[in-house]
Amino acid sequence: ELTFAQEIRLFAEAEAVAGMMGSALNNTVFSKANCSVLALAHDYWTDGALDWILQTVGISNYSVRIYASNRCRRFSVDMNVLQKQLDSLGLP
């Protein structure tokens, strides 16, 4: 429900971003170089677009967490495991 300008501001001010691999993280193109990014992906993800975006912006604190999925590319994330992953990156 955010306007495009609000989305840009949100990503530009973010200290950290976490989300599903794919278009959900495309707005990291508006993030600062010191933003931390955690991408959640299924076990046969092949797209390198996010890598290009993060290199262009200069983001170096980037991590991908891979999860086993079914044939429909569905996977679940245990929130306790995710919290530990965020903690390991020094993220709140």
Side-chain angles (χ1 to χ4, degrees), residues 2-37:
L2 298 177
T3 66
F4 188 54
Q6 289 171 323
E7 286 183 35
I8 291 172
R9 183 176 302 119
L10 183 66
F11 277 82
E13 295 174 353
E15 294 178 24
V17 176
M20 301 287 293
M21 184 71 90
S23 62
L25 292 173
N26 282 352
N27 282 345
T28 55
V29 73
F30 302 113
S31 297
K32 298 176 287 193
N34 63 346
C35 181
S36 299
V37 177

Side-chain angles (χ1 to χ4, degrees), residues 26-35 50-60:
N26 282 352
N27 282 345
T28 55
V29 73
F30 302 113
S31 297
K32 298 176 287 193
N34 63 346
C35 181
L50 182 61
D51 293 324
W52 178 84
I53 290 170
L54 299 179
Q55 288 174 14
T56 301
V57 173
I59 293 174
S60 59

Side-chain angles (χ1 to χ4, degrees), residues 22-91:
S23 62
L25 292 173
N26 282 352
N27 282 345
T28 55
V29 73
F30 302 113
S31 297
K32 298 176 287 193
N34 63 346
C35 181
S36 299
V37 177
L38 173 63
L40 311 175
H42 54 73
D43 51 5
Y44 55 96
W45 185 259
T46 59
D47 185 6
L50 182 61
D51 293 324
W52 178 84
I53 290 170
L54 299 179
Q55 288 174 14
T56 301
V57 173
I59 293 174
S60 59
N61 190 12
Y62 165 51
S63 181
V64 178
R65 302 300 182 192
I66 306 295
Y67 296 91
S69 63
N70 65 19
R71 292 181 184 200
C72 295
R73 299 182 186 169
R74 291 187 178 138
F75 63 93
S76 6
V77 177
D78 181 307
M79 295 311 287
N80 292 321
V81 172
L82 179 59
Q83 185 61 55
K84 288 178 185 176
Q85 292 168 340
L86 293 172
D87 291 345
S88 75
L89 294 172
L91 302 175

